[in-house]
Amino acid sequence: MKRITIAIDGFSSCGKSTMAKDLAHEVGYIYVDTGAMYRCVTLFALQNNLYNADGSIKTEELEAQMPDIEIGFKLNEETGRPDAYLNGVCVEKEIRTLEVSNHVSPIAALPFVRKALVAQQQQMGREGGIVMDGRDIGTTVFPNAELKIFVTASAEVRAQRRFDELKQKGMPADFDDILKNVQERDYIDSHREVSPLRKADDALELDNSQMTIAEQKEWLMEQFRKATGMP
């Protein structure tokens, strides 16, 4: 059976990564979390003092240091999921903090950052057999993907999910701050000049506001079977 490319796009905190990871595991494909890649660049900028006093990015310095940013994924044997590595160091926990969430959209809007990471992502998926999630996978990274899914949910539902996730991990969380962050990221992601977040014309839309994980899995597998011609 032909191994296809699956692109899953959508708003922040929609559960795209969980869906993509589960689907990849279920069908034996490789999973790439592109959002984690942009979070790694954001963490690098925070760690290397690449922000001005007013919170703006030192873009020239960051662009000069982009060749020094090496991002990879390694399977975590305990969780069965891939962890993100920045220059050889596991940063899976560090990139999920609210501080990184508050800074990632402006970083992801920088053309030179997107160009560098899109090139990496296309290299990763050149052979097919891949599930990739992000903001512009079906529109920019893999416009010819055989299966494209666009995920959405209300901002309040997404903020609650993010709040619950942080609390479960024992990390500090404030619902109002998270909701504000979700709304701000939606605006930035949808209005940036380069590869703005939008649904590809041939993408299937999934509003999972009221869906259980099991219902999502069943829906995804049905779309995968249709796309691959599985019985």
Side-chain angles (χ1 to χ4, degrees):
M1 189 192 335
K2 180 176 181 275
R3 291 168 68 79
I4 67 170
T5 297
I6 302 170
I8 300 181
D9 291 307
F11 293 95
S12 66
S13 302
C14 268
K16 298 186 304 296
S17 296
T18 300
M19 291 168 57
K21 288 172 189 172
D22 286 346
L23 180 60
H25 180 74
E26 191 79 18
V27 302
Y29 278 21
I30 296 168
Y31 164 70
V32 177
D33 180 354
T34 62
M37 296 175 75
Y38 289 99
R39 285 174 173 271
C40 283
V41 177
T42 305
L43 181 64
F44 180 90
L46 289 167
Q47 290 177 337
N48 290 275
N49 192 31
L50 296 179
Y51 286 91
N52 296 304
D54 64 357
S56 60
I57 304 160
K58 298 177 182 177
T59 52
E60 289 186 7
E61 291 183 34
L62 177 59
E63 185 169 12
Q65 293 187 50
M66 280 302 292
D68 301 326
I69 301 176
E70 183 182 329
I71 301 167
F73 296 92
K74 294 181 184 176
L75 189 68
N76 182 318
E77 297 295 342
E78 289 185 11
T79 64
R81 302 275 176 82
D83 287 341
Y85 280 73
L86 173 61
N87 293 333
V89 178
C90 180
V91 292
E92 186 63 31
K93 186 174 182 181
E94 289 81 355
I95 64 172
R96 306 298 175 184
T97 63
L98 188 57
E99 182 183 23
V100 170
S101 294
N102 283 332
H103 288 85
V104 67
S105 286
I107 289 280
L110 295 171
F112 64 86
V113 172
R114 299 206 72 82
K115 183 179 179 181
L117 295 193
V118 166
Q120 287 189 38
Q121 292 155 12
Q122 290 173 331
Q123 182 71 12
M124 291 174 183
R126 68 188 185 281
E127 300 296 333
I130 195 165
V131 183
M132 196 174 284
D133 75 284
R135 301 288 192 280
D136 62 347
I137 311 305
T139 53
T140 301
V141 182
F142 294 120
N144 297 319
E146 292 90 342
L147 177 57
K148 299 179 187 178
I149 294 163
F150 188 86
V151 191
T152 185
S154 72
E156 289 75 17
V157 166
R158 290 182 283 133
Q160 186 65 50
R161 289 174 182 168
R162 183 77 179 134
F163 176 83
D164 293 342
E165 180 186 2
L166 290 171
K167 295 297 283 185
Q168 189 176 12
K169 292 179 178 177
M171 300 168 73
D174 179 275
F175 178 81
D176 291 335
D177 287 345
I178 294 170
L179 178 58
K180 182 182 177 186
N181 171 253
V182 164
Q183 293 168 333
E184 287 176 348
R185 288 179 67 188
D186 285 354
Y187 183 85
I188 294 172
D189 291 343
S190 301
H191 290 79
R192 64 183 179 224
E193 288 186 26
V194 181
S195 299
L197 170 65
R198 66 175 180 83
K199 179 188 170 194
D201 293 338
D202 54 347
L204 304 170
E205 184 166 327
L206 172 65
D207 185 333
N208 66 4
S209 297
Q210 306 301 324
M211 293 179 77
T212 65
I213 298 294
E215 288 170 340
Q216 288 181 62
K217 282 185 177 181
E218 185 179 343
W219 186 88
L220 279 169
M221 280 304 300
E222 182 182 348
Q223 309 316 315
F224 176 77
R225 284 192 290 269
K226 287 179 182 176
T228 57
M230 277 180 66

